[in-house]
Amino acid sequence: MSGERPGRHAARENGVDWQQLKALLVAGIKLDLRTSRGGIGRGKLPPFVIALITYAVMGLLMAVGLRSQGDLFVYSLFAISAAMFMTALAVIMEYVTIVVHPDDFEILAHRPVSSRTYFWAKIGNMLFYVTPIALVMTLPSAVIGSYSLEPGFLFGLFHVLGGVVACLATAAAVVLIYTGTLKVVSYQRFTSIMTYVHSGVTLVLVLAYFLLPKMIEDDPMLLSLNRGAWVYAAPPAWFAGSVELLTGTGGSQNVQLLLMAAAGSALVIAAAMNTISLDYSRKISELTTSSVEADEHSDGRVRRRPFFRLGLASLGTGSERAGFVLMDAYMRRDRKLRSRVYPAFGLPLAVYLTALIRHDLHSPFVQSPDGNPVALQEIMGLYCIFVSLFFTTAMTQTEQWKASWLFYAAPLEDPSGVLRGARRLVIWRYLIPFFLLLFVLLSLAMPVLGAATFVLIVFPMCLAAFAILSLASPHMPLSQEVERTRQARQVGFFMILGTTMIPLLIAVQLMMQNRPAATGPIVATLWGLAWVAERLVGARLRRKLARGEFTG
Amino acid sequence: MNTPVTEGAIVFRDLTKRFEDTEAVAGVNLTIPRGQICGYLGPNGAGKTTTVKMATGMLRPTSGTAVIEGFDIGESPLEAKARIGVVPETGALYENLTPREYLSLVGHLYHLNRDEAEGKAETFLELFGIADVSGRTMTSFSRGMKQKVLISAALLHNPSVLFLDEPLSGLDANTAMVLKELLRELASQGKTIFYCSHVLEVVEKVCDRIVILNDGRIIADGNVEELKDLTSAASLEGVFSELTSTGDLPDIVRAFSESVTGVKGD
C-alpha cells in the first residue's frame, strides 16, 4: 500500500496484524501495570513499580560492592550475572503471568488473531517486563563504573546495553527450558515435572551464582587477560567480554565472546519466541488448572503421610481442621501453588551443595574454617528461615480465591482457626520433614550433635519468622488474588530477614562456641521465643480476621 | 419467521473430540441455516461447551470439521473467527482492564476503526446500564456486570454467527428480557445463533430449533412441538428429562430430602 508506514508494512509482510498487535501490546502493558486487589496492590504504586524499586536497590547494593573493582571485565561480569540471575528468578517465578497469561487462551482463541501476531505481542510484553528490570539492575553499576573505570561514559553505555541483551536472552532461555521440556516429554509427564523444573532451575542458578566467585578465588588466572576456557561456558562472561571489547580494551578472545553473546542471544530469543503461541497458552492454561494426583490411590482415596496424621491429631477446633485439610488438598493438587513454594527448598539446598563443595560447613560449636562469621552455612541457615516466607505469601493466594466466601458465610466462632490449621499443615507437611532432611544432610559433613544443634537453632527461627511474617499477609488461606510482585516483595522481606536473622544466628553460635554449656538454655530460649511469637501473632490475627470481609 | 435459508451458516460434519479415553463429542452432524436460533441442550458433561470450543477454534477436533459461513474453522480460522461472536461459559475477561478498554481491545482485534468501536462500546454500555462504571477496572464487577461486558464484546463487530454459552448467566430479569428480544431481532435480520443453556424455559421461548446432546451424541433434533411428539411429553422440561435422565426423578428427590433432613419418607 502506497501510504503505509514502514513499521506497518514490515508487520504485514511478516504476517502480523499491526492494529491487533498494537491493541494487544497496550492491553498487556496496562495489565502489567495495573494493581491487583490483594495486599500491596491497595497502595498507590503499581506492583510492577514496587518490584522495580526493589531491583534498583539490589542493583545499587551490587554496584556499591563493586566500586573498588578495577578490572572492567570482572566488574561487568559480576553486575551482569546478578542482573541475569534476578531476571531468571523473576521469569521462573512469574512465568504464567509474564510469558503466557493463562486467560489469553479463553479470551483470544476464538478471535481472529494469528499466531504470529500473538507471538509478537508476547515478545513486546516480555520486552516491557524484562527491559526495565535489566535497566534498574545494571544502571547503578553503569553509573558508578563510568566514574571508577577508565573508559568512562562509554563503559556505562555498553554495560547497560550488554546487561539488557543478557537479561532478554536469560528470559528467553527460561522460556526455552519450559517449552523445550513440553516438546520432548508428553503433556502428562510434563505436568508432573513442571513443579520440579521450577525448583531445579532455581537450584542450578543459585549454585552457579555461589560457585562463580569460588572459581575465581581458586584460580586467579580466570581474571587475567589470558582467561581460561571457562569464559566460553559462562554466558555472563560473553557479555562482560563484549563490554570490554566495545570500550576498546579487549583482545581477540573478546571478539569471540562478542560473537558468542550476539549469536547465543539471537538464537535463544528466536528459538524461545517461536515456541509461544495461543495453543501453547492453552497448554499453560490447562497446566495451571489441572491437578496432581500423585498421592491418590486408583480408587480416589488420598494416601495420607504420617506427618499429615500427626499434624491433624495435634489440632483442636473444627475450623483448624478445615484449614489443615483445605491446605493439604491444595498443596497436593494445585500445581501453581506448588510451583510457587517448591523453589524455596532449592535455595538452601543449593547453598548446602555449594558449602559442601567448598568445605564451608562447620559445627556451630566451632568457628568457620576461614574464621569468617558469615560463612555459607549461615547463608544456608538464612535461606532455611526464608522458606517460611514463600509459604506465608503463597498460602493466602490462589486463582480460586473467590471460593473463600465460604469462610465468611460459615458460622465460624474463630475464623483465624482456619489460617492456624493451614499454617499447621505447612509446618507438619513441609517444615518438619525439611528440617529433618537438613539434619541428615548436615550430619554428612559435621558431627551429628553439631548438625542437630544447628537445626534446633534454625528451626525455631524459621517458625518465629513464619509467625511474624504472617502479619504482613493477614488473610484467610487461599483468599487472595495472586499478585505479580510476589517475587520482588519476597526479595525485600529477605533483605529485612537477613539483617535481623543473620546477626542473631551468628550471636547464638558465638555464645555456644564460647560457652558450650549454654547450648541447652539457648536452644530452649529460641523455642520459647518461637512459641511466644506464635501466641502473640495468633492473638493479633484472631482480632484482625474476626473483622475481615469477603472482597470478591 | 426467519430469513429464508439457502445454506448452512454453521455446519458440523462428524465433529468429534476425544480426551484420552473419554469421547466428549462423538461424531456430531448438524447444519444450522442462516437466521436460525438453535438451542443446544444437554445434561452436565454432555459435550455442549466442547462443541462450542471446537466450533469457535478454541479446541482442535480429534476428527471432523466445523464450517462457519462457508469457512472451515480448521483451515481458514481467521476468516471463520472474524464472522463469529462468542459469549463463553467461563466468563473470562481481562478483569484489570476497564469495560471501555476491554471493548476497545476487542474492537481493534476485529479491525473496527477507533471511533466506531468507541461509539458502539459507549452505546452498549449505556443500554446495559453500566456506562457509569465504564472507567473502573472489572475486578470489582458482579457476575452480571461482567456478563454484560462479554455480551457487548460478542456483538461489537456485528458478527453473522453468535455462539452463546449460558448468556443469561448472572443477568437481572430486565436485561435477560432485553437480550431474549434482541436475539429474536438479530435472527430476523439473518444472524445465526447457537444457544447453549440449561434454562429450558428460555430455550423453549427463544429457539426455533432444539438439539439435545447426551454423552457427546445428538439424541434429538427438532422444534419444540416435534420434540414433544417424539416423546409424548407435555413440555420441553419433560422431553429433556425423558431423554436424558438416568433415574426416576421423584426417587432422587426423596433420597436427597432424606439425606438432608435425616427423616425417612414414606
Side-chain angles (χ1 to χ4, degrees):
Chain A
M1 222 179 276
S2 55
E4 198 174 36
R5 288 181 196 164
R8 291 181 184 213
H9 180 74
R12 193 165 49 80
E13 287 292 304
N14 284 293
V16 176
D17 186 308
W18 180 259
Q19 188 181 358
Q20 292 180 339
L21 175 66
K22 214 169 77 175
L24 288 169
L25 275 174
V26 170
I29 290 169
K30 279 179 181 163
L31 290 169
D32 271 337
L33 287 175
R34 287 271 156 86
T35 306
S36 59
R37 294 210 297 168
I40 204 163
R42 293 197 186 93
K44 285 181 182 171
L45 283 175
F48 185 54
V49 175
I50 295 168
L52 286 181
I53 292 170
T54 311
Y55 289 125
V57 171
M58 292 173 67
L60 190 64
L61 290 175
M62 169 65 80
V64 170
L66 287 170
R67 71 189 184 285
S68 57
Q69 177 57 252
D71 188 316
L72 187 152
F73 176 79
V74 180
Y75 185 99
S76 202
L77 177 70
F78 273 87
I80 288 178
S81 46
M84 289 173 80
F85 174 69
M86 290 314 300
T87 303
L89 273 187
V91 178
I92 289 167
M93 296 177 78
E94 310 283 342
Y95 188 80
V96 290
T97 44
I98 297 171
V99 184
V100 176
H101 198 288
D103 285 347
D104 284 352
F105 177 72
E106 289 287 348
I107 296 171
L108 298 175
H110 57 78
R111 305 195 191 280
V113 180
S114 71
S115 275
R116 280 210 153 268
T117 306
Y118 178 75
F119 139 67
W120 280 105
K122 288 289 115 184
I123 287 186
N125 282 141
M126 194 138 107
L127 277 174
F128 176 80
Y129 194 90
V130 173
T131 309
I133 293 178
L135 277 174
V136 298
M137 283 289 295
T138 52
L139 260 177
S141 50
V143 172
I144 291 179
S146 296
Y147 286 101
S148 64
L149 297 168
E150 203 178 302
F153 170 74
L154 211 54
F155 166 78
L157 180 70
F158 288 120
H159 178 70
V160 168
L161 191 67
V164 170
V165 177
C167 290
L168 289 173
T170 305
V174 174
V175 173
L176 206 57
I177 289 169
Y178 275 77
T179 53
T181 313
L182 191 53
K183 274 185 183 167
V184 292
V185 302
S186 72
Y187 175 71
Q188 286 305 317
R189 283 191 65 193
F190 177 78
T191 55
S192 302
I193 63 170
M194 182 74 165
T195 307
Y196 304 102
V197 171
H198 270 111
S199 314
V201 174
T202 309
L203 193 138
V204 168
L205 283 168
V206 175
L207 207 58
Y209 190 66
F210 278 105
L211 280 179
L212 191 63
K214 176 66 178 169
M215 285 164 64
I216 293 168
E217 191 184 300
D218 289 349
D219 182 6
M221 283 300 286
L222 291 176
L223 300 182
S224 70
L225 281 176
N226 187 20
R227 291 168 199 120
W230 69 271
V231 291
Y232 300 108
W238 305 349
F239 294 94
S242 305
V243 174
E244 200 174 33
L245 179 73
L246 292 168
T247 52
T249 51
S252 61
Q253 190 185 44
N254 294 72
V255 177
Q256 293 166 354
L257 292 177
L258 174 69
L259 288 174
M260 287 184 78
S265 304
L267 268 175
V268 77
I269 290 171
M273 292 307 164
N274 269 318
T275 60
I276 293 175
S277 64
L278 267 174
D279 191 46
Y280 179 60
S281 111
R282 178 180 63 80
K283 285 179 180 165
I284 291 294
S285 169
E286 284 173 5
L287 178 72
T288 56
T289 51
S290 65
S291 57
V292 185
E293 305 294 346
D295 286 351
E296 290 179 10
H297 292 285
S298 53
D299 62 0
R301 280 182 303 115
V302 176
R303 198 178 294 137
R304 301 293 191 198
R305 300 235 153 84
F307 285 116
F308 176 89
R309 294 173 199 280
L310 284 169
L312 198 60
S314 76
L315 297 171
T317 66
S319 55
E320 282 179 352
R321 284 171 169 262
F324 190 88
V325 171
L326 172 75
M327 191 49 63
D328 174 63
Y330 264 76
M331 284 294 181
R332 273 190 292 107
R333 299 202 180 106
D334 188 333
R335 217 175 291 278
K336 262 181 109 172
L337 185 59
R338 287 159 71 106
S339 69
R340 285 201 295 269
V341 295
Y342 278 24
F345 299 109
L347 293 166
L349 292 177
V351 185
Y352 167 80
L353 284 174
T354 316
L356 198 65
I357 295 166
R358 293 178 53 167
H359 306 293
D360 255 359
L361 293 169
H362 61 96
S363 163
F365 297 106
V366 295
Q367 276 197 340
S368 69
D370 59 358
N372 186 349
V374 188
L376 273 177
Q377 183 166 314
E378 283 67 46
I379 294 173
M380 182 190 66
L382 180 62
Y383 277 132
C384 292
I385 298 165
F386 188 44
V387 165
S388 62
L389 177 57
F390 275 69
F391 282 98
T392 310
T393 48
M395 68 189 288
T396 58
Q397 298 180 356
T398 177
E399 273 62 40
Q400 290 121 45
W401 64 278
K402 285 188 177 170
S404 63
W405 63 268
L406 185 64
F407 302 136
Y408 302 90
L412 298 177
E413 206 168 290
D414 173 18
S416 69
V418 182
L419 180 60
R420 221 163 32 244
R423 296 180 71 245
R424 203 69 73 84
L425 182 276
V426 170
I427 292 170
W428 280 96
R429 191 182 153 103
Y430 291 98
L431 298 185
I432 292 176
F434 170 69
F435 278 97
L436 283 176
L437 173 71
L438 185 70
F439 164 67
V440 173
L441 292 176
L442 288 176
S443 303
L444 301 175
M446 66 177 75
V448 171
L449 184 64
T453 309
F454 187 78
V455 168
L456 285 172
I457 295 168
V458 176
F459 194 10
M461 290 169 79
C462 175
L463 290 175
F466 191 37
I468 294 163
L469 286 168
S470 62
L471 287 177
S473 187
H475 307 291
M476 297 296 261
L478 308 171
S479 67
Q480 303 296 306
E481 204 174 351
V482 178
E483 287 178 82
R484 288 183 172 203
T485 51
R486 196 179 57 253
Q487 196 231 354
R489 289 174 70 197
Q490 283 175 342
V491 171
F493 275 122
F494 178 65
M495 288 174 169
I496 299 166
L497 261 182
T499 51
T500 54
M501 294 294 187
I502 282 273
L504 181 61
L505 187 57
I506 292 166
V508 163
Q509 290 190 126
L510 282 177
M511 282 165 70
M512 291 193 316
Q513 285 159 19
N514 291 331
R515 290 186 61 197
T519 303
I522 289 171
V523 168
T525 307
L526 285 173
W527 282 94
L529 286 174
W531 184 82
V532 170
E534 178 71 31
R535 289 279 147 173
L536 291 176
V537 169
R540 178 141 177 79
L541 285 176
R542 201 170 298 129
R543 285 196 298 275
K544 254 184 147 30
L545 292 177
R547 294 195 303 267
E549 286 181 332
F550 177 58
T551 51
Chain B
M1 198 52 201
N2 294 329
T3 324
V5 169
T6 51
E7 57 182 291
I10 303 172
V11 180
F12 298 154
R13 291 194 197 102
D14 206 21
L15 200 60
T16 302
K17 184 67 188 179
R18 225 170 273 123
F19 295 108
E20 290 173 20
D21 51 352
T22 312
E23 202 164 39
V25 177
V28 166
N29 284 292
L30 198 60
T31 299
I32 303 171
R34 197 158 289 133
Q36 190 173 73
I37 306 181
C38 177
Y40 201 57
L41 307 182
N44 294 332
K48 301 185 296 296
T49 300
T50 305
T51 308
V52 171
K53 283 187 171 174
M54 286 192 284
T56 56
M58 295 176 75
L59 277 181
R60 266 193 293 272
T62 308
S63 62
T65 53
V67 179
I68 309 297
E69 293 278 0
F71 293 100
D72 186 317
I73 192 83
E75 287 171 9
S76 312
L78 298 188
E79 287 81 358
K81 287 175 182 181
R83 285 160 178 79
I84 61 179
V86 181
V87 175
E89 184 205 29
T90 56
L93 284 166
Y94 291 124
E95 292 185 9
N96 272 316
L97 296 182
T98 67
R100 206 179 282 147
E101 288 168 343
Y102 183 72
L103 294 177
S104 167
L105 166 70
V106 171
H108 284 301
L109 296 182
Y110 289 93
H111 303 108
L112 300 186
N113 73 48
R114 197 170 152 178
D115 292 340
E116 186 187 3
E118 283 179 2
K120 272 190 161 184
E122 283 305 323
T123 309
F124 287 165
L125 296 175
E126 193 76 47
L127 290 172
F128 273 133
I130 51 172
D132 54 333
V133 290
S134 63
R136 278 194 222 158
T137 59
M138 295 183 278
T139 46
S140 59
F141 276 23
S142 68
R143 177 91 190 266
M145 289 160 85
K146 286 179 196 162
Q147 194 70 4
K148 289 173 181 179
V149 177
L150 280 169
I151 294 167
S152 302
L155 298 173
L156 197 70
H157 58 292
N158 190 21
S160 50
V161 175
L162 280 167
F163 284 92
L164 311 177
D165 201 346
E166 294 292 357
L168 302 186
S169 174
L171 293 182
D172 58 70
N174 289 333
T175 312
M177 273 194 288
V178 168
L179 187 65
K180 282 185 272 183
E181 285 307 311
L182 177 65
L183 294 181
R184 301 288 330 165
E185 176 68 24
L186 292 174
S188 72
Q189 290 171 18
K191 297 199 187 302
T192 312
I193 298 165
F194 192 83
Y195 191 104
C196 293
S197 180
H198 290 291
V199 189
L200 301 182
E201 295 88 345
V202 177
V203 173
E204 191 165 4
K205 275 184 194 158
V206 171
C207 299
D208 308 309
R209 172 187 177 185
I210 293 162
V211 173
I212 299 179
L213 197 70
N214 198 19
D215 289 334
R217 287 179 173 76
I218 292 177
I219 53 168
D221 182 357
N223 62 35
V224 177
E225 293 312 314
E226 287 168 346
L227 294 186
K228 283 178 185 169
D229 291 344
L230 183 75
T231 59
S232 70
S235 66
L236 182 58
E237 202 173 47
V239 172
F240 187 81
S241 171
E242 203 173 314
L243 291 173
T244 63
S245 181
T246 52
D248 184 42
L249 291 185
D251 285 347
I252 295 171
V253 172
R254 197 175 308 116
F256 255 121
S257 171
E258 285 173 8
S259 181
V260 171
T261 60
V263 178
K264 286 268 179 200
D266 296 329

